[in-house]
């Protein structure tokens, strides 16, 4: 295209400045919409990922009917299954669950009337929650992890008597057991001794006992259904009033209602946003066609004159496309700047989608321009502006 034709084109754009601004505005609006839409999609995807990664799905062990109201009365063998202590027997539940919390309470003969509680962690007993005004202090070198061991140690409330750093209790058969004190419990609690859940009364022994409460968390929320299938495979069932209490199976309530509801809402929003993008592309293509048609329709006599002085249809077509391309590119960059101000950044996908929308817009205008310039020269000459 010669410099003179470029000059004519520029003057034509300036002369039709209202139409030119409208075309720029349409291209800019499409770009801004694409950027904002991609920003919304990214934020929803991040929300989805955060929900999956950070939501804790807890599970509570109940009786098979799910109606337990007091102590669970479940043998500690079931806790061993959940805690990974039965892997040699083919029980691999610890591949799916973590943070097992279990509590077993016995009333002692010595110190008489005091509570002896086996726990797997401090959060196994709600009474140890700091929100209740309780404070647990471990002695130097000791941590909460010791409750997962089999060591004969304990933490005690301030009223429990000690002898040279040991608390003495009476075992289930009346024998006395000395527990090394590794920490204290302060607050409103009195008369309680806490020890590791699987601690034996005598070295080398392993005696099953009844568990009063048990709960745990799902390890991987992405494998929620697989995890539930593993939990309900053999010794645990989904609570149902029709189940029978036989002491061989126990119910597990998976508290996943809020999690699944959040996933459903986020995925629903994502689906809607992902549908809007193709719809936006189609709309921009249609707008481009009508915009190009209206802009070129008013220049029919101008095109006829160009044909009369020897310009070919292809030259006129590319001249028109050049004008529209300039306006569309300017609108895209303008929209990109506005989108950046709104969103704070431009993702590669937002840039790609903006380019696609602009391309579809240009294709629409190109089809309109092609339709006009293909009209016979004699018809062009006879058309009214």
């Amino acid at each position: 295209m010669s410099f003179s034709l470029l000059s004519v084109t520029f003057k034509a754009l300036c002369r039709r400045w209202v139409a030119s601004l409208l075309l720029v505005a349409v291209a800019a609006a499409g770009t801004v919409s694409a950027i904002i839409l991609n920003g919304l999609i990214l934020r929803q995807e991040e929300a989805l990922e955060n929900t999956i990664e950070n939501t804790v799905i807890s599970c509570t062990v109940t009786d098979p009917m799910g109606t337990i109201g007091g102590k669970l009365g479940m043998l500690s063998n079931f806790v061993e299954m959940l805690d990974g202590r039965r892997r040699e027997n083919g029980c691999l539940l610890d591949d799916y669950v973590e943070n097992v919390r279990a509590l077993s309470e016995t009333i002692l003969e010595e110190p008489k009337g005091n509570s002896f509680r086996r726990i797997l962690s401090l959060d196994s007993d709600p009474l140890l929650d700091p929100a209740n005004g309780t404070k647990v202090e471990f002695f130097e070198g000791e941590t909460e992890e010791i409750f997962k061991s089999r060591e004969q140690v304990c933490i005690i409330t301030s009223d429990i008597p000690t002898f040279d750093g040991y608390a003495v209790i009476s075992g289930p058969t009346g024998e006395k057991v000395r527990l090394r004190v590794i920490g204290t419990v302060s607050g409103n609690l009195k008369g309680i001794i806490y020890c590791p859940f699987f601690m034996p009364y005598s070295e080398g022994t392993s005696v099953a006992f009844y568990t009063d409460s048990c709960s745990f968390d799902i390890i991987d929320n992405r494998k929620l259904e697989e995890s539930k299938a593993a939990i309900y495979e053999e010794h645990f069932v989904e609570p149902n009033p029709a189940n029978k209490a036989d002491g061989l199976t126990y119910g597990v309530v998976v508290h996943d209602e809020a999690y699944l509801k959040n996933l459903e809402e986020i995925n629903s929003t994502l689906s809607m946003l992902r549908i809007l993008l193709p719809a936006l592309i189609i709309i921009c293509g249609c707008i481009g066609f009508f915009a190009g048609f209206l802009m070129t329709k008013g220049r029919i006599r101008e095109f006829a004159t160009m044909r009369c002085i020897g310009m070919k249809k292809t030259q006129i077509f590319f001249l028109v496309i050049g004008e529209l391309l300039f306006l569309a590119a300017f609108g895209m960059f303008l929209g990109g700047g506005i989108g950046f101000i709104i969103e704070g950044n431009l993702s590669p996908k937002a840039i790609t989608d903006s380019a696609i929308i602009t391309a579809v817009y240009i294709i629409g205008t190109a089809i309109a321009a092609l339709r006009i310039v293909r009209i016979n020269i004699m018809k062009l000459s006879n058309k009214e502006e």
Side-chain angles (χ1 to χ4, degrees):
M1 187 185 299
S2 65
F3 177 78
S4 59
L5 285 178
L6 286 174
S7 176
V8 170
T9 299
F10 181 74
K11 290 179 180 179
L13 291 176
C14 292
R15 187 171 63 251
R16 297 183 303 277
W17 65 272
V18 175
S20 299
L21 286 178
L22 286 174
L23 289 174
V24 169
V26 170
T31 302
V32 171
S33 299
I35 292 171
I36 293 176
L37 198 56
N38 269 280
L40 291 173
I41 291 174
L42 283 176
R43 284 190 286 276
Q44 286 298 308
E45 289 175 343
E46 289 173 1
L48 180 64
E49 188 65 23
N50 288 334
T51 299
I52 294 173
E53 289 291 334
N54 300 323
T55 300
V56 177
I57 299 179
S58 63
C59 306
T60 303
V61 181
T62 70
D63 62 20
M65 294 80 71
T67 58
I68 191 71
K71 292 186 176 182
L72 185 58
M74 178 181 72
L75 284 174
S76 56
N77 299 1
F78 289 86
V79 181
E80 291 179 350
M81 295 178 193
L82 295 167
D83 199 46
R85 297 170 190 259
R86 295 270 172 158
R87 291 188 68 88
E88 68 276 6
N89 298 328
C91 183
L92 307 178
L93 284 177
D94 58 311
D95 287 340
Y96 301 96
V97 307
E98 62 181 354
N99 302 330
V100 180
R101 300 170 289 274
L103 168 67
S104 175
E105 182 182 30
T106 303
I107 302 302
L108 296 171
E109 289 296 325
E110 183 182 345
K112 190 171 181 59
N114 288 333
S115 173
F116 175 68
R117 299 191 176 194
R118 297 171 176 269
I119 56 174
L120 270 174
S121 58
L122 293 181
D123 56 357
S124 294
D125 188 353
L127 294 179
L128 293 175
D129 190 338
N132 296 323
T134 305
K135 183 178 181 181
V136 176
E137 293 182 291
F138 289 96
F139 297 158
E140 186 175 356
E142 306 293 350
T143 66
E144 181 183 356
E145 286 300 310
I146 203 167
F147 287 111
K148 296 185 181 297
S149 74
R150 291 168 54 86
E151 294 190 41
Q152 291 182 316
V153 296
C154 67
I155 60 174
I156 60 176
T157 55
S158 59
D159 60 320
I160 300 294
T162 60
F163 305 91
D164 296 327
Y166 286 82
V168 180
I169 66 171
S170 292
T173 58
E175 78 274 16
K176 291 184 177 181
V177 179
R178 297 175 76 241
L179 304 177
R180 181 168 59 89
V181 179
I182 61 169
T184 59
V185 181
S186 59
N188 299 322
L189 300 185
K190 300 293 181 183
I192 303 178
I193 299 174
Y194 290 96
C195 76
F197 189 81
F198 293 107
M199 182 202 79
Y201 281 102
S202 302
E203 291 297 332
T205 63
S206 179
V207 180
F209 51 89
Y210 288 109
T211 304
D212 296 325
S213 64
C214 182
S215 62
F216 54 87
D217 301 329
I218 299 295
I219 290 179
D220 189 351
N221 292 345
R222 290 183 174 84
K223 297 180 179 179
L224 177 58
E225 294 305 317
E226 181 182 339
S227 300
K228 290 165 74 171
I231 292 169
Y232 296 140
E233 184 175 359
E234 189 171 354
H235 295 291
F236 295 100
V237 297
E238 191 169 359
N240 190 306
N243 293 334
K244 301 295 183 182
D246 54 9
L248 299 177
T249 57
Y250 284 85
V252 172
V253 179
V254 180
H255 303 287
D256 58 356
E257 299 86 358
Y259 170 75
L260 293 176
K261 183 178 180 181
N262 287 339
L263 286 191
E264 183 181 0
E265 291 176 353
I266 294 172
N267 281 319
S268 176
T269 302
L270 270 173
S271 298
M272 180 186 68
L273 292 174
R274 286 168 177 161
I275 290 173
L276 285 177
L277 188 58
L280 182 62
I281 292 174
I282 293 172
I283 291 171
C284 284
C286 294
I287 291 175
F289 173 81
F290 286 110
F293 178 80
L294 294 175
M295 185 174 181
T296 53
K297 184 179 179 182
R299 302 173 62 189
I300 291 178
R301 188 176 293 278
E302 181 182 339
F303 295 152
T305 304
M306 291 179 181
R307 293 291 305 279
C308 290
I309 62 175
M311 288 186 67
K312 297 180 179 179
K313 291 181 180 180
T314 54
Q315 290 178 304
I316 298 174
F317 174 75
F318 285 113
L319 177 66
V320 174
I321 286 300
E323 297 175 9
L324 298 175
L325 183 61
F326 171 78
L327 295 175
F330 182 73
M332 184 181 73
F333 284 112
L334 179 62
I338 296 172
F340 180 80
I341 293 172
I342 294 173
E343 291 293 324
N345 59 11
L346 296 178
S347 67
K349 191 173 187 309
I351 295 173
T352 301
D353 289 342
S354 297
I356 292 174
I357 287 175
T358 303
V360 171
Y361 174 79
I362 293 172
I363 290 171
T365 59
I367 293 172
L370 183 63
R371 183 177 180 277
I372 293 294
V373 299
R374 288 180 64 184
I375 299 176
N376 183 276
I377 188 171
M378 296 303 298
K379 291 183 178 179
L380 284 173
S381 301
N382 293 330
K383 288 283 184 180
E384 293 293 335
E385 291 186 357

